[in-house]
Amino acid sequence: MSIPVSRVPIYDTLNRIPGGLMIIPLILGSIVGTLAPAALEIGSFTTALFKDGAMAFMALVIFATGMQITPRNAGPIVGTASVILLAKSLVPGVLIAILGLTTGMQGLFGISILAMLAAMDNSNGGIWLAFTGRYGDQRDRGAYIASAINDGPFFTLILIGASGLADIPLEVFMAAIVPLLLGILVGNLDPKWTEVMRPVPEMVIPFFSFGLGTGINLADVLHGGLTGLALGLLVAPFTGGLVYLGYRYLLKRGRRSGIGFAAGTTAGNSIATPAIAAAADPSLQPYVGVATTQVAACVLVSALMAPAIASWLLKRNGELRSPEEIPAGASAHDNASARLAGDLIPK
């Protein structure tokens, strides 16, 4: 069956933009959510698809990702997630905490230590799933569990000493990984389902990216001012660069190490982290207002920058493609990378 010629090549145009299938819907969602939020509240299928469906679509991607995980590649997935946690959360968090010992909580250039931690020690799991769903393999997609762990105020609270509120409730952690565990179970019981669900990540990326965008208020981003934008511009290259180094030198991912930059984001719910931290330690209250708007700016700026940098680096190395797209006659290096991913190409 031949594919008809597009009158308006929307898909091809988005594909020509690095990370376009994710970035453009995200921007459109933030514009609509800011300028015309009522349009998303008319109910029925419209609201379900364009606003409320983001979490469901992400859960579906997680479920489909679990189906690709077998005993053969479970180890590499845990290893990848561990490197991401080390490079994205622990290393920058410790460095910022050390800076705080020198400057105090006021930080530098109008950016408090609280804002730095809230912006840098976590990652946006939705952006990671969207990017790795298009360009990553099972190791990368399964490593979203790193975002399930560092999402929210967990590392921030520990690093500023509010350990009494730093425990992750067991039910919250389980709720994040149940779809993955069910996917692993079903995929290993019936491999046919694995093949049926294989295209799911790429199919739903534009939909949950738009839904994620509707939660980003552009007014908050602008209110963060130049300091918020500056912090946002720092998050992606700094924290994403650390994950890139982990991919390159610890995971030995070679020319595909650029995927690591996609982790250089700020989670959407980290906007609430400054207020949560101040509830644990009232002395932080003076920093909450400014820090909150600065983190809001980071959410949007990093969501745009991180996948763009990752796409650019992969393209420069000739790797802006998913492992499934590696041609049969590819080089030995490419084929070796595919084999390491485990069950990447349908047999």
Side-chain angles (χ1 to χ4, degrees):
M1 180 178 177
S2 61
I3 300 176
V5 178
S6 301
R7 290 188 176 88
V8 181
I10 299 174
Y11 182 84
D12 290 339
T13 300
L14 292 178
N15 248 344
R16 281 195 290 270
I17 302 171
L21 284 175
M22 169 183 52
I23 293 175
I24 301 304
L26 184 83
I27 294 174
L28 292 176
S30 64
I31 293 173
V32 173
T34 301
L35 301 180
L40 302 171
E41 300 289 355
I42 63 175
S44 192
F45 301 120
T46 299
T47 300
L49 179 62
F50 294 110
K51 184 181 179 182
D52 296 342
M55 291 296 288
F57 285 133
M58 288 173 60
L60 181 59
V61 171
I62 292 169
F63 183 77
T65 295
M67 286 189 160
Q68 314 297 321
I69 298 175
T70 66
R72 177 183 174 187
N73 60 27
I77 287 173
V78 173
T80 302
S82 299
V83 167
I84 293 174
L85 281 174
L86 173 67
K88 181 64 177 78
S89 299
L90 294 178
V91 171
V94 169
L95 290 176
I96 294 169
I98 292 174
L99 175 64
L101 294 176
T102 303
T103 65
M105 283 302 299
Q106 67 267 22
L108 296 171
F109 310 114
I111 305 174
S112 67
I113 296 299
L114 178 61
M116 293 182 192
L117 286 173
M120 292 194 185
D121 65 12
N122 57 82
S123 56
N124 190 318
I127 300 299
W128 179 259
L129 279 173
F131 191 84
T132 59
R134 178 66 181 88
Y135 301 116
D137 58 36
Q138 281 98 325
R139 293 170 293 179
D140 307 311
R141 297 164 193 163
Y144 97 94
I145 57 176
S147 295
I149 294 173
N150 70 15
D151 194 7
F154 176 65
F155 284 103
T156 299
L157 291 174
I158 287 181
L159 290 165
I160 63 175
S163 58
L165 296 177
D167 294 330
I168 299 180
L170 179 60
E171 62 271 19
V172 173
F173 182 71
M174 289 303 299
I177 65 171
V178 162
L180 182 76
L181 297 177
L182 288 177
I184 294 173
L185 176 63
V186 174
N188 282 275
L189 290 176
D190 187 356
K192 288 186 178 180
W193 267 112
T194 300
E195 296 308 314
V196 170
M197 299 292 285
R198 194 180 294 275
V200 163
E202 186 173 355
M203 288 168 53
V204 303
I205 284 170
F207 297 98
F208 80 65
S209 294
F210 185 94
L212 289 173
T214 63
I216 300 174
N217 192 308
L218 296 178
D220 290 338
V221 175
L222 294 176
H223 189 61
L226 293 178
T227 54
L229 293 176
L231 183 57
L233 291 172
L234 181 62
V235 168
F238 175 54
T239 65
L242 290 173
V243 180
Y244 163 77
L245 293 175
Y247 259 64
R248 185 172 181 85
Y249 296 108
L250 297 179
L251 298 176
K252 308 294 184 182
R253 295 292 292 275
R255 293 180 297 175
R256 297 189 65 80
S257 298
I259 291 173
F261 271 104
T265 54
T266 299
N269 65 10
S270 65
I271 295 172
T273 295
I276 294 172
D281 184 351
S283 69
L284 299 176
Q285 190 62 47
Y287 304 102
V288 171
V290 175
T292 298
T293 56
Q294 290 171 338
V295 174
C298 286
V299 173
L300 178 59
V301 174
S302 65
L304 300 178
M305 280 193 66
I309 295 173
S311 298
W312 173 80
L313 191 54
L314 287 175
K315 184 176 182 179
R316 192 184 74 167
N317 291 330
E319 294 290 343
L320 193 61
R321 55 185 174 175
S322 68
E324 289 87 346
E325 294 171 332
I326 296 175
S331 67
H333 179 277
D334 287 335
N335 288 325
S337 296
R339 286 194 298 272
L340 279 172
D343 304 322
L344 292 177
I345 300 175
K347 303 296 189 292

